[in-house]
Amino acid sequence: MEQTSATVCPMVLALDYMQTTDTVNADLTARATKFIDQGYKRLLTFESKRRPGGFSLWVDDNPSVFLSAYGLMQFVDMQRVYDVPDKLLHRIAGVLGSHQNEDGSYRAGNLVHAWGSWKETPFYMTAYVAWALAKAGHDTSKALGYLEAHIDDVDDPYGIALAAMAFATADPKSGATRRWAARVVAKQATGVNHVSWRPKGSTFVGGRGRSATIEATALAALALFKSGYREDLGYQALDTLIAWRGKDGRFGPTNTTALALRALLAANSGGDRLPSTSVTITHREKTLKRVVIPSGSTEPLRVALGELDPKGVSVKLDGEGRIRGTLSRTTYEPWSTTKLPRGPLAMEVTWSKDPLEVGKTYAATVRIRHTGKQ
């Protein structure tokens, strides 16, 4: 269920972003809708037959508290771009309510992953379920009361960020939300060039090491943006996340990537938009270009700088606000100077000597010869 949800989640986020920013692309919308439809139907196959509304890894198993809350979050997000019936959300919320203890807490119950410091105390699960229920518009006062009463039970940045998200989702401007956001800020781990939050154990989906740090950092950034408290620190956290993004665009495992994308979209989908402004690009204090950014623009702007030393390039926004940019350089190495590893196969590649043009397809001839004795 986790993998199915994490695969569908980026499609939901992308389609929601396009609709929110009025940048709908018919072809992308059709493709995303198709994937979401397939994902929605597949997610329903994880609904427990023993207790409808609860979700588990196997339909004949008892519901998992975590997977049920996890599913509720996914369906709430999906409802923004897809026809998800309200009765499904109420059914899930009903099952979660049946698992709540008298003191307002939720215990881990049927664990998805059997490791992690979060399984030792109800605090983590209570924070996560409260976040999910608040996202679905349900009353979470009892669960939030438990978190307030046990504020000293957890000193882990991951748990604190979860609690902050629960409070910020229920009421982003409350005094309690501000206190929890301040606790998130106090738990940052500052490095030479980045701000991050490092969990003391694994996450709900089994993330450890770098993956766990990415999840906690994304959660912290989400809480800061949601609460409006120290948003400047949230933007620094996004810079850290972007630095950790892989060459293929992912931030590690699928669930970790989905959470990082949520944080990035939370910063880029706000209601406040810059007026028409411009960006000045300089190289070693010499102005190269001034690029105009139209008011409300959501389209990426690409500027070719030619063969310049990237170390001398500087980008400055002409006015107030924030922009995010990436400086990249494309290069190539002639085949004649490329050293291939020696092995039992020898490979020769030949192609046309004519200059290659963008948008055209060229054929190459590859000759592979076995050099071994067999």
Side-chain angles (χ1 to χ4, degrees):
M1 177 180 175
E2 297 169 70
Q3 293 300 317
T4 299
S5 178
T7 302
V8 176
C9 180
M11 299 296 171
V12 173
L13 295 176
L15 188 55
D16 185 31
Y17 177 77
M18 288 190 292
Q19 293 179 355
T20 301
T21 58
D22 195 25
T23 56
V24 175
N25 177 289
D27 180 56
L28 291 178
T29 298
R31 291 167 58 191
T33 302
K34 178 181 178 181
F35 281 117
I36 293 171
D37 179 68
Q38 295 173 346
Y40 171 73
K41 293 175 181 177
R42 181 167 176 77
L43 284 174
L44 290 181
T45 65
F46 293 96
E47 187 172 6
S48 173
K49 290 183 178 179
R50 291 189 179 186
R51 184 67 193 278
F55 283 76
S56 62
L57 293 180
W58 298 276
V59 294
D60 293 327
D61 201 359
N62 290 320
S64 160
V65 174
F66 166 68
L67 286 181
S68 299
Y70 186 83
L72 180 60
M73 286 203 196
Q74 307 308 310
F75 289 125
V76 169
D77 285 336
M78 196 178 293
Q79 197 176 50
R80 294 172 59 89
V81 296
Y82 186 81
D83 185 20
V84 177
D86 289 334
K87 63 181 181 180
L88 172 62
L89 306 184
H90 288 298
R91 196 159 67 235
I92 301 174
V95 170
L96 289 173
S98 68
H99 283 84
Q100 189 172 32
N101 300 311
E102 286 297 323
D103 61 358
S105 67
Y106 290 86
R107 298 191 179 277
N110 186 5
L111 297 175
V112 178
H113 297 289
W115 60 82
S117 57
W118 51 266
K119 72 178 185 295
E120 300 170 2
T121 170
F123 186 94
Y124 291 82
M125 190 62 70
T126 303
Y128 191 85
V129 176
W131 175 19
L133 290 172
K135 192 178 179 73
H138 290 269
D139 178 37
T140 57
S141 56
K142 198 173 180 180
L144 297 181
Y146 174 88
L147 297 176
E148 283 279 74
H150 294 77
I151 191 172
D152 296 325
D153 286 7
V154 174
D155 193 43
D156 175 24
Y158 178 66
I160 293 172
L162 281 173
M165 274 305 299
F167 278 91
T169 305
D171 186 355
K173 300 304 179 183
S174 70
T177 297
R178 188 175 182 85
R179 289 194 300 273
W180 280 98
R183 291 199 73 197
V184 170
V185 171
K187 287 298 177 182
Q188 61 175 300
T190 55
V192 177
N193 295 314
H194 70 272
V195 171
S196 64
W197 282 260
R198 302 169 186 171
K200 296 182 178 180
S202 65
T203 66
F204 277 123
V205 294
R208 288 175 284 186
R210 171 65 65 83
S211 295
T213 300
I214 291 176
E215 288 189 44
T217 301
L219 271 176
L222 279 169
L224 297 180
F225 290 134
K226 189 77 174 176
S227 65
Y229 182 81
R230 289 297 307 274
E231 290 185 330
D232 61 310
L233 201 62
Y235 282 109
Q236 292 180 49
L238 295 189
D239 292 336
T240 300
L241 291 176
I242 291 173
W244 285 338
R245 181 172 55 194
K247 293 181 179 180
D248 59 359
R250 295 186 301 166
F251 296 84
T254 49
N255 283 288
T256 304
T257 298
L259 196 53
L261 288 175
R262 289 182 187 278
L264 291 169
L265 288 174
N268 294 326
S269 301
D272 297 332
R273 295 186 177 184
L274 288 174
S276 180
T277 185
S278 61
V279 172
T280 299
I281 304 174
T282 61
H283 183 252
R284 294 175 180 170
E285 301 183 355
K286 180 182 179 181
T287 300
L288 293 179
K289 293 185 179 181
R290 183 169 283 109
V291 183
V292 175
I293 303 177
S295 176
S297 173
T298 58
E299 292 297 318
L301 298 176
R302 294 178 174 84
V303 181
L305 301 179
E307 299 179 2
L308 293 177
D309 179 7
K311 294 181 180 179
V313 175
S314 175
V315 180
K316 181 181 179 182
L317 180 65
D318 302 326
E320 298 181 354
R322 291 181 62 91
I323 61 169
R324 176 166 289 107
T326 300
L327 183 64
S328 62
R329 180 169 59 177
T330 301
T331 185
Y332 75 97
E333 183 176 352
W335 185 266
S336 59
T337 61
T338 302
K339 295 182 179 180
L340 297 178
R342 292 184 178 181
L345 297 179
M347 183 170 65
E348 298 176 0
V349 181
T350 58
W351 60 88
S352 171
K353 299 299 182 181
D354 297 333
L356 303 182
E357 297 182 22
V358 176
K360 288 191 175 182
T361 302
Y362 293 86
T365 301
V366 181
R367 182 170 180 266
I368 300 176
R369 179 168 48 88
H370 184 254
T371 60
K373 297 180 179 180
Q374 296 181 346

